[in-house]
Structure formats: C-alpha cells, structure tokens
C-alpha cells in the first residue's frame, strides 16, 4: 500500500517515502497556550492524529515518532498573565496561565479521540537550544544584531520563500519601511528580542531576552526528530510566515537542502464562510462544543470533509454525523473487531481521503460486515463502544442495513460458511434483532423473518 501525500512544497500529490521506515518522523505545530483552544484549532490535532494512526498502522506502532510542541513563550501569554493575575510575580502568573491552558487543551483533544503524541516539548525547556541555533546562524552570516534584536537576514538565503511561493521583492513591496528601519530587508524576522525587567527573559549573548516564535519550532523539531525529518504539518495560515521561517532557520543553521520532506496543511474551519479565529471573535471553544456534542461526533464531523478543504461548522452537520454514528454503533455493538478494511485503508492512504473512506464504511455497514466496520472505525480513532451518543431509544433500526445483513447471512449459509453466518447472526442479535429461518412451504426456499427485541 503506497501512502500518498499532497506536499505543499511541490503543490503535488507524492508517494510517501520515509527517510527511515524504522522511525517515521512527524512534527506538527501545537497550541500557543494563552487561552482556551477553539474548535478550529482542533482541526490540525484531529487530522494529524488520523495520519499518526495511519502511519502506525502501515509502519508499526513502535516505528513512528510524532512531536507536537507547546508554545509557552509568547507575548500574548505575558499579556494574559498580567491581566488575569495582577500583583502575582510575572513568572508565576505566566506559569498559571500556561498550565491551566495546557491542561484544558490535553483534556479537549483527548475527548476528541486524539492519541497523545510521542513527545510534547515546551518552548521554555529548549531556550538553550535556541540561543545555540541563533549563535550558529550569526556565525554563518544568516543573522545579525540590530536595534536590541537578533534578526534573520532573509536576503542571505537564495531560495527563501520557496514553500509559500513568494518572491522576496513581492514580500518587500508592502512592508512598513519606517517601522523597520533597523532591518536589512523588510522581511527580516526576529530570532531574539531583549526583555525589559518586567518581561520574562533568559540570559543570552545578546542580553536578557526571549526568543521569537519561529525559532522555537526549529529547535524543538531538531531536538526530537533531527535536522531533517519526514512530515511537517499545521494549518494553512502557518505556511507564511511561520513555516517559511522555520525552514529558513533550520536549513541555514544545519546546511541542509530541506527541513522536512513533506509539508501538509489543513484548511480552515469556518463559520458562515469566515475562518474561525480569536481575533474575529466568531469562535466556539472545544469545551463548548463538547458540552453539547459527544467527542466522537465532533471528531467524525471534522473528518467527513477532506482535510485540505474548508469546512463549515454547523449544528445540522453535527446532527447528521450523530445519526450516522448511531447506526454504526448499533451495527458494531458486541462484535469483535477485524483488521481495518483494505479499501478503507487505501482511501485514507490517498492523501487522507476520509470522505471516500467513510463512504466505504457505509458500504460495509450495508453489507453487514460489522467486524471490518469496527476495525476500520478504530483505525480512525472512533471507538463507538465507549461513545455515549445519547437518545439510544430513539434510534430507529435501519431496515436496509438489516435486510442486507440477512441476505449476507443466507448467502454464507448457502456457501456452508457457518462461521460467517453465525458472526452475522450475532451482529444482528447485538443490534437487538431476533431472526427466525422459515421454509417457504410453496417453494421450499429458506427465508429469514426478523423482529426488534429490546
Ligand atoms: P494558533 O494557536 O492560532 O497558532 O493555532 C494552532 C493551530 O490551529 C495551527 O495549526 C493553526 O493553523 C490552526 N488553526 C487556527 N485556526 C484554524 C481554523 N479556523 N481552522 C483550521 N485550523 C486552524
Ligand atoms: Zn511551528
């Protein structure tokens, strides 16, 4: 089975070839822990969790390393700490903000069925690595000190802008020259900035200060995955400047041709056609969503749309998702999972075509193949045995599913495959369906009558 991935670097779908099949390495930019995450922030967590699970399925659980960082150094965090904990020493106030937010995030994404990544490094644990990488960049002529900052010199990198396909001249056209008078190029970005006595800071060769956002990911990915790794992911909005700048720092510090071989970006979750975001104020926190909807429903709803497409988040589609999951939950209750269905895995392997994958699950349910349905759902991180989808009594039996399962069972009996026919009967029983085989007195043909018994 070949995994294919749409690579933002080349704008094409490519066969995935890992650098080392014994250790497939993926890095995804995680949350900046200053405020509760919204349901749009959950999209990369869920999408890359599915990829993590698929990679483990293909390469083996022990052969995939997934790193998702926690950005706990950021000026938004400082501002929040000052606002929410006045009078508390800043370092303590910051820790309170980041700890509360981080714990909530863990709780949220766990409820959404996301496995813990292999490692979740925090920026504050990697400051020494950052000052070291910045020193290397200065030494190699890619960074300079000016105006109390250390800046990356984008002019020093001939193919800066390759990921976002922006040319340097275009980027400079709209830049605010006056504000950036200390910069060599308007596009130069901060690696390190000095802190006032009131701001959080660490000692460095350039005075007490703090790192810029982009350098955090370059250093944490290097520490856990090495100078070059396989997959780097995040939302579309991170392509520029964040990922472009990560690439610039890592490649220039290590002298490598790439930072990661495959760059993947999820599309936006939208509300009435607009990107959900903190700044627009049109957001619903993950916790709000989970107060109303089971985590499995929110997860499935997120995955019904292909990860690169925009997704409109509506109650109607959530309700629709709940209905489907109820039918499937009924179908797989009490059934032992078989390995995931091959066509389902093939669909996922085609650049995470979850839409096609779920279409296949509908077909499996109709055919009465509850064991493969269950195994496939588990691969997608949907454990319906534990899901509380509410209103169990209100669930109507899907007659088409039952009729198909009965036909499949008779077919198996005719083929004298009794293990299979018993398996389907047990599946029906688990759905609360009693069956009785009767001979048609006229034709002598076997027919199955059924009724719902709860
Ligand atoms: P942030 O905390 O804003 O840096 O976002 C964390 C992650 O969520 C990043 O990968 C973003 O690209 C992603 N993200 C933010 N807003 C949305 C959205 N509305 N839809 C999908 N992904 C988003
Ligand atoms: Zn990042």
């Amino acid at each position: 089975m070949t995994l294919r991935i749409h690579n933002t670097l080349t704008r094409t779908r490519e066969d995935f070839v890992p650098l080392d099949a014994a250790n497939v390495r993926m890095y995804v930019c995680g949350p900046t822990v200053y405020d509760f995450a919204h349901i749009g922030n959950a999209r990369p967590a869920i999408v890359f969790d599915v990829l993590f699970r698929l990679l483990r399925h293909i390469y083996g659980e022990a052969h995939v390393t997934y790193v998702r960082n926690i950005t706990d150094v950021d000026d938004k965090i400082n501002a929040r700490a000052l606002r929410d904990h006045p009078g508390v020493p800043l370092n303590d106030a910051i820790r309170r903000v980041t700890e509360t937010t981080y714990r909530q995030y863990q709780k949220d994404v766990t409820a959404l069925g996301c496995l813990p990544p292999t490692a979740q490094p925090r920026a504050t644990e990697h400051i020494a690595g950052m000052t070291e990488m910045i020193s290397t960049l200065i030494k190699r002529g890619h960074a300079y000190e000016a105006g109390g900052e250390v800046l990356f010199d984008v002019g020093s990198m001939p193919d800066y802008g390759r990921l976002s396909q922006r040319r340097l001249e275009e980027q400079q056209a709209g830049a605010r020259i006056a504000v950036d008078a200390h910069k060599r190029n308007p596009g130069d970005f901060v690696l390190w900035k000095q802190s006032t006595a009131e701001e959080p800071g660490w000692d460095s060769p350039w005075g007490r200060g703090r790192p810029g956002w982009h350098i955090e990911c370059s250093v944490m990915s290097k520490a856990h995955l090495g100078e070059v790794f396989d997959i780097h992911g995040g939302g579309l909005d991170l392509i520029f400047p964040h990922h472009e700048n990560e690439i610039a720092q890592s490649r220039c510090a290590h002298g490598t041709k790439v930072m990661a071989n495959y760059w993947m970006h999820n599309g936006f979750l939208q509300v009435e056609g607009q990107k959900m975001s903190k700044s627009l104020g049109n957001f619903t926190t993950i916790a709000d969503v989970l107060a109303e909807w089971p985590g499995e429903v929110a997860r499935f709803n997120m995955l019904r749309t292909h990860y690169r497409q925009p997704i409109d988040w509506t109650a109607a589609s959530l309700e629709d998702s709940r209905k489907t999951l109820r039918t499937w939950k009924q179908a797989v209750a009490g059934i032992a999972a078989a390995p995931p269905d091959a066509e389902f895995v093939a669909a996922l392997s085609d650049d995470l075509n979850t839409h096609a994958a779920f279409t296949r699950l509908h077909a499996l349910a109709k055919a009465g193949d509850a064991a493969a349905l269950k195994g496939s759902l588990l691969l997608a991180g949907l454990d319906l045995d534990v899901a509380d989808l509410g209103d169990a009594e209100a669930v109507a039996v899907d007659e088409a599913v039952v009729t198909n399962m009965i036909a499949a069972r008779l077919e198996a009996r005719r083929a004298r495959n009794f293990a299979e026919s018993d398996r389907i009967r047990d599946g029906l029983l688990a759905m609360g369906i009693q069956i009785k085989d009767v001979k048609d007195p006229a034709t002598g043909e076997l027919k199955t009558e059924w009724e719902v018994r709860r």
Side-chain angles (χ1 to χ4, degrees):
M1 170 97 40
T2 317
L3 171 61
R4 292 173 57 78
I5 285 179
H6 179 91
N7 189 352
T8 308
L9 261 183
T10 56
R11 306 295 198 268
T12 56
R13 200 173 295 190
E14 299 173 4
D15 286 354
F16 176 69
V17 183
L19 290 161
D20 174 6
N23 184 18
V24 180
R25 288 160 288 161
M26 170 164 80
Y27 185 92
V28 174
C29 297
T32 303
V33 284
Y34 73 102
D35 200 357
F36 288 169
H38 62 65
I39 191 68
N41 300 134
R43 194 170 190 191
I46 293 174
V47 163
F48 291 103
D49 177 70
V50 170
L51 181 57
F52 181 38
R53 288 169 185 268
L54 179 64
L55 290 169
R56 284 161 42 120
H57 176 74
I58 297 173
Y59 295 95
E61 278 192 20
H63 303 295
V64 184
T65 307
Y66 169 28
V67 177
R68 186 181 62 212
N69 74 290
I70 296 158
T71 296
D72 60 354
V73 183
D74 186 280
D75 286 350
K76 288 193 286 281
I77 297 176
N78 308 341
R80 184 56 63 108
L82 288 169
R83 192 195 83 182
D84 290 355
H85 306 286
V88 175
L90 186 62
N91 276 342
D92 296 342
I94 285 175
R95 203 160 310 123
R96 282 193 206 173
V97 170
T98 57
E99 272 310 301
T100 317
T101 315
Y102 167 69
R103 253 185 273 119
Q104 182 68 39
Y105 182 79
Q106 289 299 79
K107 210 171 129 210
D108 288 346
V109 294
T110 302
L112 291 169
C114 298
L115 295 171
T118 320
Q120 298 193 72
R122 294 164 187 235
T124 47
E125 296 162 349
H126 286 272
I127 302 291
M130 296 180 208
T131 52
E132 196 184 305
M133 191 179 283
I134 295 168
S135 297
T136 304
L137 287 169
I138 295 174
K139 228 176 290 156
R140 289 180 166 238
H142 293 291
Y144 60 97
E145 264 190 278
E149 297 176 333
V150 181
L151 294 152
F152 185 92
D153 179 356
V154 295
S156 73
M157 185 186 189
D159 59 349
Y160 179 82
R162 195 178 135 209
L163 179 74
S164 56
Q165 300 190 346
R166 291 171 184 230
R167 298 209 334 275
L168 211 50
E169 306 84 73
E170 292 169 29
Q171 294 163 34
Q172 300 191 350
R176 294 165 300 164
I177 307 290
V179 179
D180 298 332
H182 64 295
K183 293 186 178 181
R184 288 184 192 162
N185 317 277
D188 291 354
F189 57 90
V190 171
L191 299 170
W192 189 266
K193 56 188 156 196
Q194 281 175 9
S195 296
T196 61
E198 294 78 43
E199 287 170 332
W202 291 264
D203 290 331
S204 83
W206 321 285
R208 189 178 162 277
R210 58 199 192 282
W213 172 33
H214 316 305
I215 195 76
E216 301 180 4
C217 285
S218 282
V219 168
M220 287 187 272
S221 61
K222 151 79 172 21
H224 286 270
L225 301 175
E227 294 180 355
V228 179
F229 51 94
D230 297 298
I231 301 171
H232 194 313
L236 265 185
D237 51 342
L238 299 188
I239 296 176
F240 189 87
H242 185 53
H243 288 167
E244 197 70 77
N245 292 350
E246 280 188 33
I247 291 174
Q249 297 160 158
S250 294
R251 284 186 50 201
C252 291
H254 308 315
T256 50
K257 283 211 174 67
V258 292
M259 176 186 186
N261 282 326
Y262 304 87
W263 288 77
M264 295 176 73
H265 295 95
N266 64 269
F268 293 136
L269 181 142
Q270 306 180 328
V271 187
E272 287 163 9
Q274 249 188 342
K275 178 192 172 194
M276 180 177 282
S277 79
K278 292 257 164 65
S279 53
L280 289 170
N282 61 346
F283 64 91
T284 316
T285 66
I286 302 176
D288 287 342
V289 171
L290 291 173
E292 257 189 87
W293 302 93
E296 293 81 2
V297 170
R299 179 181 179 92
F300 177 59
N301 195 57
M302 192 75 87
L303 292 173
R304 281 168 63 196
T305 305
H306 186 255
Y307 76 94
R308 291 198 290 116
Q309 300 300 319
I311 173 172
D312 261 307
W313 194 256
T314 66
S317 87
L318 281 157
E319 196 50 66
D320 212 42
S321 296
R322 170 147 62 188
K323 256 189 220 140
T324 300
L325 288 192
R326 275 182 181 150
T327 311
W328 289 348
K329 180 181 165 93
Q330 243 187 12
V332 302
I335 301 275
D341 173 71
E343 267 187 48
F344 175 80
V345 177
L348 285 186
S349 303
D350 180 18
D351 193 34
L352 296 185
N353 192 341
T354 46
H355 184 80
F358 291 140
T359 302
R360 174 64 184 162
L361 295 195
H362 282 292
L364 289 176
K366 285 233 144 63
D369 197 349
L373 172 61
K374 187 164 198 167
S376 305
L377 283 166
L378 288 174
L379 176 59
L382 291 162
D383 185 349
L384 299 187
D385 281 343
V386 304
D388 178 3
L389 302 175
D391 296 334
E393 310 75 47
V395 178
V397 170
D398 187 332
E399 286 203 22
V401 169
V402 175
T403 313
N404 280 304
M405 287 175 78
I406 284 174
R409 175 174 165 274
L410 282 181
E411 187 69 43
R413 280 188 57 139
R414 267 183 224 116
R416 308 192 66 75
N417 183 351
F418 296 112
E420 174 68 4
S421 67
D422 286 353
R423 194 185 60 75
I424 298 175
R425 184 202 56 213
D426 291 346
L428 285 161
L429 274 174
M431 291 162 66
I433 311 266
Q434 296 268 346
I435 56 171
K436 197 164 86 184
D437 293 323
V438 290
K439 235 187 202 142
D440 187 314
T443 63
E445 218 177 297
L446 207 56
K447 271 193 351 197
T448 303
E449 291 173 349
W450 63 278
E451 62 179 341
V452 185
R453 284 258 181 89
R454 287 244 171 80

